[in-house]
Amino acid sequence: MSASLVRLGHWITEHLVMFACILGLIYTILPIAVVVVMSFDDTGDIVYQFNGFTFENWRHPCAPYGMCDAVVTSLQVGILATLVATVLGTLMAFALVRHRFRGRSVSNVGIFLPMASPEIVLGSSLLAFFVAGGYASYLGFTTILIAHVMFCISFVVVTVRARLAGLDSTLEQAAMDLYANEWQTFWRVTFPLVFPGIMAAALLAFSLSFDDFIITNLNAGQTQTFPMYVWGVARRDIPPQINVIGTAMFLVSVLIVLAASFGGRRRSRPVG
Amino acid sequence: MSRVEAPVDQSHQSTAFGRRRWTGYVLLLPGALWLTIFFIVPMVTLVSTSLYDPSGTLESGYQVTWAFSNYVDAIQTYWPEFWRSLIYSGLATFFALLIGYPMAYAIAFKAGRWKNLMLVLVIAPFFTSFLIRTLSWKLILADHGPVVDFLKAVHILGPDGRLLATSTAVVLGLTYNFLPFMVLPLYASLEKIDHRMIEAASDLYASPLQGFRRVTWPLSMPGVVAGTLLTFIPAAGDYINVELLGTPQQTMIGNRIQGLFGAGDYPFAAALSVTLMVMILVMVIVYIRRTGTEELL
């Protein structure tokens, strides 16, 4: 066997993992590329396939009846649910990391369980709860909001808790040594250090809320969120505008990631 | 994303804010109340709903009659759906691990300066909507689409073969949609491995394969357990992939629960839902015990 063949063998085993990884990444990216391409589809939308290039869908994103109303509903639910869940979850994370009290381990299990339950179970239990309470005819915006806050809290807690637990407590001790009181130490040292974690948690909560379908669908009544709109049209003619929304969501997310990574880089630059 | 976080190190109890005991309760209370009222109480309601007299309706009202027969009926009627849910989500978890492990490994150990970009690509599916990206698979796998044409050309698929509306499409969709939940915990645990451990193995004459089997794999076990659970649990309850990529022949238990609740058959639907939850909890507990990763909780 020639030496070059051996070297080729080495090269392959060395790079095989990377090759598999790149294939995996293509698998994850492929449908998103399709969404972007389809947003420019010049449609006779009877067949869901690419017929030709056009900007029309982007110029008239709200053309399909009811779609933009659904997007607005999703944004409203998303923002409100994110605010409430982030505040409640952050407080819980501080309690769990910074305070010792009875019932901590019970609390930890209580926070873990919603994440370990399939959405269909969470959604159906809430529906059963609303129906048993006599609220069956009141299903709508409020019940969606309640559900979204419920499933977002746990994710906020684990995100903020991880940031808080990884915090170097000597920084706070240093502040106290320099005669900062507890309040000052919290707002000048602790909070700024935890803030990126809180932001990450809020973004996560928003994306979970905006994208939720299974739980929402059970508790929405007549209200329609964007995922519910997509579900409704999925078995009829699919308007290409849903891909405009999908692409816009993708672009906004990419911008946020870029902003976060640049912001992080600036912050980590040495002072002076 | 956050699902992957490592167990919290309890030794970080800060001195600064830990003095007043009641502060902890005050901070915890609002969130704990929300979870109690809108998660724990509804779970209890779900169980009691599942024991309602099945002849009741939304209008005439229900009565708890301890109708355990709901469970017997539900399981007898819908065991194929339960079975399919377990098989499909089990397969999806297996494939996600098969695809996800090399991805996480390469990103953790080989990516160098591309690491962050690759991590962003892993979570890129979360940047669009679950339903929209599943619809886009419908397009990719369509009859006479590029994938089907290629598979026919290389004779993997027969001339009448199709991908859409098959179990394959459903498993592929499930694998795709929950893959990031597999890769992120795997990456988190692989990233933490001390490289000197792997070097030590090769210094002691372990082949790369032995080194992987005896050192890297066991050390990545917390990630494997977390990843498989985070893939399996949502996949078992999912009905979106079946509805968009499959046919009624692939119906999973999620479709039935949704359908029965939609039709107003609450006791039966609740019994199915409770059964699913109990099945998953039992499997999770057994799995965690057997792999010795209780601290993940």
Side-chain angles (χ1 to χ4, degrees):
Chain A
M1 202 159 69
S2 73
S4 64
L5 211 67
V6 173
R7 224 176 302 133
L8 183 70
H10 271 288
W11 190 88
I12 288 173
T13 45
E14 181 69 9
H15 291 82
L16 197 62
V17 184
M18 199 34 119
F19 184 67
C21 177
I22 287 166
L23 279 183
L25 289 177
I26 291 172
Y27 177 58
T28 57
I29 294 304
L30 183 68
I32 299 165
V34 171
V35 171
V36 175
V37 169
M38 288 304 288
S39 76
F40 294 103
D41 178 32
D42 185 5
T43 169
D45 52 25
I46 293 105
V47 185
Y48 192 47
Q49 64 176 37
F50 196 73
N51 299 308
F53 184 86
T54 180
F55 279 117
E56 278 307 298
N57 311 324
W58 281 87
R59 217 174 291 155
H60 306 288
C62 287
Y65 175 75
M67 189 184 77
C68 283
D69 294 339
V71 173
V72 169
T73 306
S74 277
L75 287 173
Q76 288 169 337
V77 172
I79 290 167
L80 285 173
T82 302
L83 277 176
V84 178
T86 306
V87 171
L88 298 186
T90 303
L91 294 179
M92 287 180 99
F94 269 95
L96 290 170
V97 179
R98 291 303 172 85
H99 297 273
R100 291 171 184 282
F101 50 86
R102 278 162 178 276
R104 263 181 47 134
S105 49
V106 175
S107 314
N108 276 321
V109 172
I111 287 157
F112 172 78
L113 267 181
M115 295 191 293
S117 312
E119 283 192 69
I120 187 84
V121 175
L122 290 179
S124 56
S125 63
L126 258 183
L127 176 62
F129 172 70
F130 289 136
V131 169
Y135 291 101
S137 52
Y138 298 100
L139 292 176
F141 191 89
T142 316
T143 50
I144 299 177
L145 186 60
I146 287 172
H148 285 207
V149 172
M150 183 270 291
F151 69 72
C152 287
I153 286 180
S154 304
F155 289 95
V156 173
V157 175
V158 290
T159 311
V160 176
R161 190 173 62 182
R163 179 85 191 180
L164 207 48
L167 219 62
D168 185 355
S169 59
T170 54
L171 290 170
E172 290 168 320
Q173 283 158 19
M176 304 282 268
D177 287 347
L178 296 166
Y179 301 105
N181 62 30
E182 282 191 11
W183 193 247
Q184 286 170 322
T185 309
F186 179 80
W187 286 111
R188 300 273 185 89
V189 179
T190 317
F191 189 76
L193 286 170
V194 181
F195 188 70
I198 298 175
M199 276 309 285
L203 287 173
L204 178 67
F206 182 81
S207 69
L208 287 171
S209 162
F210 193 84
D211 201 23
D212 181 74
F213 174 71
I214 293 182
I215 297 173
T216 313
N217 195 30
L218 282 163
N219 293 288
Q222 299 302 312
T223 310
Q224 196 176 40
T225 62
F226 179 64
M228 291 172 70
Y229 173 84
V230 177
W231 182 255
V233 296
R235 279 157 297 178
R236 291 178 280 140
D237 303 340
I238 300 168
Q241 276 86 351
I242 66 161
N243 294 307
V244 173
I245 304 290
T247 308
M249 281 166 73
F250 182 72
L251 291 177
V252 170
S253 312
V254 170
L255 280 179
I256 290 172
V257 169
L258 283 178
S261 72
F262 277 118
R265 208 168 293 165
R266 208 186 48 216
R267 223 172 294 126
S268 59
R269 204 179 286 159
V271 184
Chain B
M1 281 155 258
S2 63
R3 290 194 186 215
V4 306
E5 302 302 349
V8 176
D9 182 0
Q10 306 291 0
S11 67
H12 275 273
Q13 302 299 316
S14 161
T15 49
F17 299 100
R19 294 197 196 109
R20 288 188 294 267
R21 182 161 294 187
W22 52 266
T23 324
Y25 289 114
V26 172
L27 294 176
L28 195 69
L29 193 67
L33 270 180
W34 198 289
L35 286 181
T36 308
I37 300 173
F38 299 119
F39 171 67
I40 296 171
V41 175
M43 282 291 178
V44 176
T45 321
L46 186 71
V47 174
S48 73
T49 304
S50 74
L51 299 171
Y52 283 166
D53 171 16
S55 62
T57 65
L58 209 50
E59 287 75 31
S60 66
Y62 288 106
Q63 282 182 314
V64 179
T65 53
W66 302 102
F68 284 106
S69 60
N70 286 343
Y71 282 89
V72 179
D73 290 348
I75 294 167
Q76 263 176 358
T77 317
Y78 294 115
W79 70 265
E81 277 86 351
F82 272 116
W83 188 234
R84 255 198 304 270
S85 293
L86 294 184
I87 299 281
Y88 287 169
S89 49
L91 280 174
T93 309
F94 172 76
F95 287 121
L97 183 62
L98 206 64
I99 300 167
Y101 203 98
M103 288 174 78
Y105 188 93
I107 296 172
F109 295 137
K110 312 237 175 212
R113 63 203 188 90
W114 301 106
K115 187 181 271 187
N116 285 335
L117 176 70
M118 290 172 104
L119 277 175
V120 170
L121 290 180
V122 166
I123 56 166
F126 291 157
F127 294 174
T128 62
S129 151
F130 190 108
L131 286 161
I132 294 180
R133 58 186 198 250
T134 310
L135 277 178
S136 126
W137 274 110
K138 193 172 179 169
L139 187 71
I140 298 168
L141 301 176
D143 304 335
H144 308 296
V147 178
V148 168
D149 283 349
F150 173 76
L151 290 179
K152 279 181 182 168
V154 296
H155 296 287
I156 290 176
L157 271 182
D160 310 323
R162 50 189 315 212
L163 283 175
L164 202 61
T166 64
S167 310
T168 314
V170 176
V171 172
L172 189 145
L174 288 170
T175 308
Y176 176 80
N177 276 313
F178 301 112
L179 183 63
F181 290 134
M182 178 66 87
V183 178
L184 291 178
L186 283 174
Y187 167 78
S189 65
L190 282 168
E191 235 257 319
K192 260 186 267 168
I193 293 177
D194 187 345
H195 265 271
R196 288 171 300 184
M197 304 262 232
I198 302 167
E199 281 164 27
S202 79
D203 287 348
L204 296 166
Y205 302 104
S207 70
L209 197 66
Q210 283 173 319
F212 175 79
R213 213 165 56 88
R214 300 276 186 85
V215 180
T216 315
W217 173 261
L219 286 174
S220 67
M221 218 43 208
V224 174
V225 173
T228 45
L229 288 179
L230 292 178
T231 312
F232 181 80
I233 294 170
D238 179 80
Y239 63 87
I240 297 170
N241 286 281
V242 172
E243 197 77 32
L244 297 182
L245 304 173
T247 65
Q249 283 171 330
Q250 277 90 36
T251 310
M252 290 165 72
I253 199 63
N255 304 66
R256 292 298 183 210
I257 297 174
Q258 167 66 35
L260 288 170
F261 270 113
D265 192 351
Y266 288 74
F268 221 50
L272 286 179
S273 207
V274 172
T275 310
L276 176 66
M277 186 72 210
V278 169
M279 262 167 53
I280 285 178
L281 273 185
V282 168
M283 289 173 73
V284 167
I285 289 167
V286 169
Y287 181 59
I288 288 180
R289 280 273 160 78
R290 287 201 56 177
T291 48
T293 42
E294 282 98 338
E295 73 273 16
L296 268 179
L297 293 172

